[in-house]
Amino acid sequence: MTQGTRVLYVRGDDSRSQPARRLERRGFDLRAVEDAATALDDLGWPDCVVSEYDLPDADGIELLRAARERAPDLPFVLFTDRGSEAVASEAIAAGVTDYLPRTGGESAERLADRIERSATGTDRRADGRFRRLHDATRELMAETDPERIAELTTVAAREIVDASDAAVYLDDDGLELVAATGPHEGRTEKPPAAVERTHRTGDASPGNAGRAGGTDGETYLPLGDHGVFAVAASGTDALAPAEIRLATILAANAEAALDRAENETALRRERDDLAALFENIPDPAVETTMQDGEPIVERVNTAFEEVFGYDGERLRGENVDGYIVPEGQETEAEGYNERVETGEGFYGEVRRRTTDGLRDFILHVVAHDVGGTETRGYAIYTDITEQKQHQRELERQNRRIEALHDVTKRMKAAPDRTTIYDIVIDAAEEILAFDLSLIDEIEDGVLVPQAISSGVSLSDYYEETPIDRENNLAAETARTGETRVVDDLRASRYAPANFEYRSALSVPLGDYGVLQAVATEEAAFSTDDCRLAELLAEHAVVAIDRQKRERELEERAEELARQNERLDRFASVVSHDLRNPLSVARGRLDLARATGDEDHYRAVERAHERMDELVNGLLTLARRGELKSDPTPVELRSAAEQAWRTVETGDLELAIEDAPTVRADPERLRQLLENLFTNTAEHGDAATTVTVGGLDDGFYVADDGVGIPETEREAILKSGHSGTDEGTGLGLAIVETIAEAHDWTVSVVESADGGARFEFREDAGGTADE
């Protein structure tokens, strides 16, 4: 049958043409080609294809697969230098008709025989066994259970190899028989020594191994690290070489299947562990595949669904950035994606959008499968929203505290209390961001509005409030001196001034008043708001206290200036007015000693009396402004009559007309009247009557003497001014000081009779007509 059989010989090296020449000598119709592409074009011509393994544009296995797609039944013999079980197994799996290693010159003759059998159908059984080996290989590769692979291997051995039985021993913490056919079935004893040796050395023990401790006719083939495959020939003879070759290929395929199963198991365990880890991470996590620069969702964990609010199935296959990247941050996110695609990964703070709003995260992206068909990545989001909010709130608080310090400086420079109140309201509005703020000042037990936020009128918003009013927030704060916060005014005992306001904050301003703030939403005032409002109020109280102290110091300074002035006048009078009577007394005393004349002693006595008058007047002047008792209602008639009786008035008469009741210190009022009566008696030339009467806002004392020239009326009230040489010049000055102590004004005018008239009127309500 050789003559005329057409053989397409595909060779990889033109210099090695000896097999082709021998095939021609055997009578085959030979066509030699040098590459796989040409061979595929010529598949319609030959009865058989012979291909070497190493070809210029492919290898023999690749050509075999391509040929099977075009000509499934065309005989194909693989004639190769690569005589390994792996190549043989791969060829069988691809559907080779026969497989022949190239071992020397005699292999060309064997090739001719193989071609003849393949092309003429004389080796149909071998072809069937190869196809069964191919099918068994597919079955083995589809399994992941090692025991099932062992069972399939033993079954395939009975069908493919001319063997009476087969067995597979697997090493799972020691060799153990896991599958067998024939006599091996049910065997539980320790594996034969030959099995142990084969597994230990990794070398096959073909042929009749009975003498080595195994069963007669058995061959032992290693399954890598997995175990040993044992097959036994029918009878006691060893397996034929062709059967051993098939068993070796089957063992190699079984080993590959076990390797794959082990890898699959490890991968599955790794995937399961990774899936469990991915799902149980407490932080939101998403697995993505980078496609055209976009992170496409593969899956998300439960935490991601809960935090971001998106269903995992809805996100699958979607660009995750389109759902969670806030507007305006797309460019930043694209930069992260570029880093992931290059395998860099990313770790840092980001802000992302959830269905509940924006939140802050630490994003940790780990890239994997970089450089493969697609880049994948895991993104883990650690929620730090509360920490960031706390940080931002601290920064905001620090800014507000710094701003309040600036407010304190403005308060220090404020000229009056009203300005301080305005500064406080501005700070509450601009720095603390309160909707509406108000300051009430305590005046005689009543809260009086003093300042309010811009755009609101005090008179329209609030009325005066007694401190003792019940169920009033401001009044309660003023009484207790404690800060009050009301989260819901409508549900409280306090009645809001305006019903639109729902929450309120009330802070005491020391003993001066109350700072209040209201808001249109419930629970609007936080603990920090209260603390800062109290800090603002404390600054205001300190500023008011400072103003008060400064005013007191100014008043004290003015009083000291007045005292110094009185002391200066006192010293002046002492040095001037006392000098004359003292000189008189000293001179007369010398004359009295020399002459013994009594008139000189009487002159000394009069000089002493004069000095006594001057000293008493000076003491009274020094105590000006001092009242011995609080002013009380005093009948002017009674006071005038009493003073008249204590003054030497000579022939003068006292007239009282409509004398009112005045509020005064009784003793100082009598002293004032005594000095006026004395002044008339001593200086009121031609005066016959002194009249005391009432005015609409005070009283007057007048005489009918010659009067006081208009040019001298202002000067006569000054200390040291006297109309006579004998006068002290203190009497009318004392009158003025007593009037000032009562907040009265003194005017000197002409009386109705042409004499002098002294009028005393209330100064800003200092004297009241009863």
Side-chain angles (χ1 to χ4, degrees):
M1 298 295 298
T2 301
Q3 191 68 32
T5 299
R6 291 174 295 187
V7 177
L8 181 65
Y9 190 90
V10 188
R11 62 192 180 199
D13 187 352
D14 187 52
S15 64
R16 299 180 62 187
S17 59
Q18 182 179 3
R21 291 195 298 272
R22 291 194 179 188
L23 291 178
E24 288 179 337
R25 288 198 297 269
R26 286 282 297 263
F28 290 104
D29 185 0
L30 189 70
R31 178 182 294 179
V33 297
E34 298 179 359
D35 55 66
T38 304
L40 291 174
D41 290 338
D42 292 344
L43 287 183
W45 176 77
D47 297 314
C48 181
V49 175
V50 176
S51 176
E52 296 181 0
Y53 186 83
D54 293 314
L55 304 176
D57 55 349
D59 60 42
I61 301 298
E62 293 173 337
L63 175 59
L64 172 60
R65 292 193 183 104
R68 281 289 170 255
E69 291 180 1
R70 301 187 183 186
D73 297 326
L74 179 64
F76 194 107
V77 177
L78 186 61
F79 185 51
T80 177
D81 290 334
R82 297 179 180 269
S84 68
E85 288 83 357
V87 173
S89 176
E90 192 173 5
I92 292 170
V96 74
T97 304
D98 206 343
Y99 168 82
L100 180 65
R102 187 171 179 174
T103 58
E106 70 280 3
S107 60
E109 297 299 327
R110 293 168 55 201
L111 175 62
D113 294 337
R114 296 293 179 89
I115 294 173
E116 186 174 353
R117 286 201 303 270
S118 298
T120 60
T122 57
D123 199 11
R124 297 290 184 184
R125 179 173 179 272
D127 183 58
R129 291 199 295 178
F130 275 122
R131 291 189 181 279
R132 177 64 188 98
L133 182 58
H134 175 232
D135 294 340
T137 300
R138 283 195 308 226
E139 293 174 359
L140 290 173
M141 292 300 177
E143 284 294 335
T144 57
D145 180 16
E147 292 189 7
R148 179 61 180 158
I149 292 173
E151 292 175 2
L152 292 175
T153 302
T154 56
V155 171
R158 292 290 299 271
E159 297 174 353
I160 298 170
V161 182
D162 187 11
S164 59
D165 62 345
V168 174
Y169 298 86
L170 295 181
D171 186 0
D172 184 11
D173 196 19
L175 283 174
E176 182 180 353
L177 179 66
V178 296
T181 61
H184 283 84
E185 290 184 286
R187 183 181 295 179
T188 59
E189 67 271 13
K190 183 179 179 181
V195 172
E196 296 277 6
R197 183 177 61 253
T198 299
H199 183 52
R200 184 177 64 254
T201 63
D203 296 330
S205 301
N208 190 342
R211 291 184 301 276
T215 304
D216 288 343
E218 281 189 339
T219 295
Y220 305 102
L221 301 169
L223 296 175
D225 295 333
H226 306 289
V228 175
F229 173 42
V231 291
S234 300
T236 58
D237 293 332
L239 291 173
E243 306 300 329
I244 292 176
R245 182 159 53 87
L246 288 173
T248 300
I249 294 173
L250 179 60
N253 292 344
E255 179 183 347
L258 289 169
D259 286 340
R260 181 177 178 276
E262 184 177 71
N263 292 335
E264 285 290 325
T265 299
L267 288 173
R268 184 170 59 253
R269 184 180 301 112
E270 182 179 346
R271 286 195 299 269
D272 292 344
D273 292 344
L274 185 58
L277 177 63
F278 181 84
E279 181 59 34
N280 292 305
I281 289 176
D283 295 328
V286 55
E287 182 181 9
T288 60
T289 301
M290 297 303 298
Q291 297 180 10
D292 298 327
E294 295 182 349
I296 305 303
V297 176
E298 293 287 336
R299 56 176 173 161
V300 302
N301 66 354
T302 302
F304 188 97
E305 293 180 323
E306 293 174 351
V307 172
F308 283 89
Y310 297 111
D311 180 72
E313 289 302 319
R314 174 185 174 185
L315 293 178
R316 190 186 302 275
E318 298 286 337
N319 178 359
V320 69
D321 286 354
Y323 287 84
I324 66 175
V325 173
E327 184 177 356
Q329 297 187 21
E330 294 85 357
T331 302
E332 176 187 278
E334 290 172 1
Y336 301 157
N337 295 334
E338 291 174 359
R339 295 176 64 176
V340 172
E341 283 193 302
T342 60
E344 287 187 58
F346 175 75
Y347 183 88
E349 292 185 11
V350 298
R351 175 165 286 191
R352 290 293 180 261
R353 183 176 64 242
T354 72
T355 55
D356 292 330
L358 295 177
R359 300 188 70 82
D360 295 294
F361 298 92
I362 293 292
L363 173 59
H364 189 187
V365 180
V366 179
H368 64 95
D369 293 343
V370 179
T373 57
E374 57 187 16
T375 299
R376 307 169 72 86
Y378 289 103
I380 301 174
Y381 294 86
T382 302
D383 196 339
I384 59 170
T385 304
E386 292 185 2
Q387 297 95 306
K388 294 296 290 185
Q389 287 176 342
H390 181 64
Q391 178 181 337
R392 285 192 287 268
E393 183 60 27
L394 284 178
E395 293 173 352
R396 175 172 172 267
Q397 288 296 93
N398 289 336
R399 289 194 297 270
R400 294 203 292 179
I401 290 173
E402 290 175 1
L404 289 181
H405 285 315
D406 292 337
V407 169
T408 302
K409 297 177 183 178
R410 292 171 54 200
M411 289 183 184
K412 289 180 179 179
D416 50 43
R417 190 177 302 182
T418 300
T419 304
I420 291 176
Y421 291 157
D422 290 338
I423 292 173
V424 171
I425 293 298
D426 290 343
E429 185 175 7
E430 297 172 6
I431 299 174
L432 304 185
F434 291 165
D435 292 351
L436 177 67
S437 302
L438 171 75
I439 288 180
D440 289 323
E441 188 174 64
I442 302 173
E443 296 181 5
D444 297 327
V446 176
L447 289 171
V448 180
Q450 297 293 333
I452 198 168
S453 295
S454 58
V456 182
S457 170
L458 278 173
S459 59
D460 293 341
Y461 179 76
Y462 211 81
E463 298 179 352
E464 296 181 357
T465 306
I467 289 180
D468 57 2
R469 177 175 292 178
E470 296 296 329
N471 299 330
N472 183 275
L473 183 60
E476 184 175 308
T477 303
R479 289 196 306 271
T480 63
E482 297 178 355
T483 297
R484 292 283 190 273
V485 179
V486 182
D487 291 333
D488 187 358
L489 283 169
R490 299 179 188 177
S492 72
R493 67 178 185 275
Y494 307 110
N498 190 319
F499 202 66
E500 71 173 305
Y501 296 110
R502 299 298 302 272
S503 55
L505 169 64
S506 187
V507 180
L509 285 170
D511 297 329
Y512 301 107
V514 176
L515 166 64
Q516 291 192 93
V518 291
T520 55
E521 62 181 29
E522 293 184 13
F525 300 101
S526 66
T527 301
D528 288 333
D529 289 333
C530 295
R531 185 169 64 86
L532 291 177
E534 289 175 334
L535 181 61
L536 178 61
E538 290 173 3
H539 289 328
V541 170
V542 170
I544 295 172
D545 286 342
R546 181 184 295 107
Q547 279 188 357
K548 185 177 179 181
R549 288 194 302 271
E550 290 175 352
R551 187 164 53 252
E552 290 174 350
L553 289 173
E554 290 174 357
E555 292 175 353
R556 179 61 178 163
E558 292 174 358
E559 176 62 23
L560 289 175
R562 287 194 296 269
Q563 289 180 3
N564 289 335
E565 183 182 352
R566 290 198 296 270
L567 289 173
D568 288 342
R569 287 200 299 267
F570 183 87
S572 176
V573 171
V574 168
S575 63
H576 179 272
D577 292 359
L578 289 181
R579 182 179 293 114
N580 291 332
L582 185 60
S583 298
V584 171
R586 183 181 298 114
R588 289 299 185 102
L589 183 59
D590 290 340
L591 290 174
R593 287 174 178 167
T595 65
D597 189 346
E598 289 294 328
D599 290 337
H600 295 304
Y601 288 111
R602 283 192 293 272
V604 171
E605 184 178 4
R606 286 194 302 271
H608 287 164
E609 290 174 353
R610 175 62 175 166
M611 285 187 289
D612 184 60
E613 291 175 0
L614 288 171
V615 169
N616 288 334
L618 289 171
L619 290 175
T620 300
L621 184 63
R623 288 194 294 267
R624 88 179 206 178
E626 294 183 3
L627 301 181
K628 290 190 174 182
S629 62
D630 293 334
T632 60
V634 179
E635 292 184 358
L636 185 59
R637 175 183 292 274
S638 176
E641 292 174 346
Q642 184 179 5
W644 189 262
R645 289 193 295 267
T646 60
V647 176
E648 196 66 43
T649 58
D651 296 332
L652 289 173
E653 293 183 358
L654 175 65
I656 299 176
E657 300 178 354
D658 299 326
T661 298
V662 297
R663 293 185 64 83
D665 178 339
E667 185 174 342
R668 289 286 185 252
L669 177 59
R670 188 180 74 242
Q671 190 176 11
L672 178 146
L673 294 171
E674 289 176 349
N675 278 272
L676 289 173
F677 296 163
T678 301
N679 184 71
T680 300
E682 292 180 351
H683 307 292
D685 296 339
T688 61
T689 304
V690 176
T691 304
V692 178
L695 300 172
D696 291 339
D697 54 355
F699 65 95
Y700 69 89
V701 176
D703 63 51
D704 56 358
V706 296
I708 302 172
E710 186 174 356
T711 56
E712 298 181 15
R713 291 173 185 172
E714 184 176 351
I716 64 171
L717 297 175
K718 303 304 180 183
S719 63
H721 182 87
S722 177
T724 64
D725 293 338
E726 293 80 10
T728 63
L730 300 177
L732 293 182
I734 292 172
V735 168
E736 185 181 36
T737 60
I738 294 175
E740 289 178 352
H742 286 83
D743 290 327
W744 299 336
T745 61
V746 184
S747 300
V748 182
V749 298
E750 185 177 345
S751 69
D753 297 321
R757 172 169 165 149
F758 294 83
E759 294 180 347
F760 299 88
R761 288 185 169 82
E762 299 174 1
D763 183 8
T767 304
D769 186 351
E770 300 291 335

